[in-house]
Amino acid sequence: IQSGLVNTAKSKNSSDLPQLLIIEDNPDVVIYLQACLENRFQVDVAYNGKIGIEKAIEQLPDLIISDVMMPEKDGYEVCDTLKIDERTSHIPIVLLTAKADAASKIVGLQRGADAYLSKPFNKEELLVRLEKMVERQSRLMAYFSKQFSSGFSSRINPQESEEAILIEDVFIQKVR
């Protein structure tokens, strides 16, 4: 099943594609992810959590895929750091891990992961999740562009009171 992102992305220049940062210390997993995501994303790689955090802050990618178990800083620390930083709090993070138990998944979600997939993961599930995250980011950008251009005259309506919108609204209010 091919998604709309997959179909349209193949016809775009690579510079038009969403930017994705992979934070993963296993070269084989990195190669597989790159093969899955080619022609869909501009992919950059960090081979440990510390470098991943630095690249995320520097590049502000559209999405991040991070392993949980890594040297320097693990995926949970990546989530902790990036989700509290105003510059990166809006970036969706997918945690990939061999830790498939419910307790590990709950810890990842509590620490800010937007999705948690166990290895080995289903390629189609990963692609659909990433596509939906890109769509959500686009909707948020459109919403805040509209708010900014209208002088913030209207408030968030009840249907759009997702946590991410509230976080971004606080950020926009600080900018204002």
Side-chain angles (χ1 to χ4, degrees), residues 117-144:
L117 298 176
S118 58
K119 294 178 188 174
F121 57 90
N122 179 292
K123 176 184 171 182
E124 288 301 315
E125 180 182 4
L126 176 65
L127 292 175
V128 169
R129 285 183 183 267
L130 294 175
E131 175 185 350
K132 294 303 177 187
M133 289 178 181
V134 168
E135 287 175 5
R136 182 172 181 239
Q137 290 299 95
S138 295
R139 286 193 310 269
L140 284 170
M141 286 175 55
Y143 172 81
F144 284 105

Side-chain angles (χ1 to χ4, degrees), residues 5-170:
L5 178 65
V6 173
N7 293 335
T8 58
K10 288 184 179 180
S11 63
K12 292 183 178 182
N13 290 330
S14 65
S15 62
D16 294 336
L17 299 175
Q19 294 180 353
L20 178 114
L21 175 62
I22 298 172
I23 307 172
E24 170 65 64
D25 63 325
N26 183 325
D28 292 331
V29 174
V30 170
I31 290 167
Y32 179 68
L33 283 168
Q34 287 175 318
C36 291
L37 303 171
E38 68 181 355
N39 300 320
R40 294 172 175 89
F41 296 93
Q42 295 178 66
V43 177
D44 193 12
V45 178
Y47 287 96
N48 69 51
K50 182 180 179 203
I51 294 170
I53 290 168
E54 291 168 2
K55 282 189 172 191
I57 291 170
E58 177 184 316
Q59 299 171 0
L60 299 175
D62 297 302
L63 299 163
I64 296 172
I65 296 175
S66 178
D67 188 14
V68 171
M69 303 298 290
M70 291 181 294
E72 300 282 334
K73 292 191 179 274
D74 66 24
Y76 298 140
E77 292 171 298
V78 168
C79 283
D80 289 343
T81 303
L82 297 179
K83 290 298 185 174
I84 62 168
D85 189 313
E86 287 180 348
R87 298 169 291 181
T88 56
S89 64
H90 66 283
I91 302 171
I93 300 174
V94 177
L95 288 180
L96 293 178
T97 184
K99 290 179 150 188
D101 62 283
S104 296
K105 182 177 183 177
I106 290 169
V107 169
L109 295 171
Q110 286 174 330
R111 294 183 74 175
D114 296 274
Y116 192 102
L117 298 176
S118 58
K119 294 178 188 174
F121 57 90
N122 179 292
K123 176 184 171 182
E124 288 301 315
E125 180 182 4
L126 176 65
L127 292 175
V128 169
R129 285 183 183 267
L130 294 175
E131 175 185 350
K132 294 303 177 187
M133 289 178 181
V134 168
E135 287 175 5
R136 182 172 181 239
Q137 290 299 95
S138 295
R139 286 193 310 269
L140 284 170
M141 286 175 55
Y143 172 81
F144 284 105
S145 293
K146 180 180 173 185
Q147 293 300 310
F148 187 74
S149 65
S150 67
F152 298 97
S153 59
S154 63
R155 298 299 311 155
I156 296 173
N157 71 41
Q159 294 93 14
E160 297 176 315
S161 63
E162 296 179 49
E163 181 179 329
I165 290 176
L166 295 176
I167 290 170
E168 295 298 321
D169 195 37
V170 169

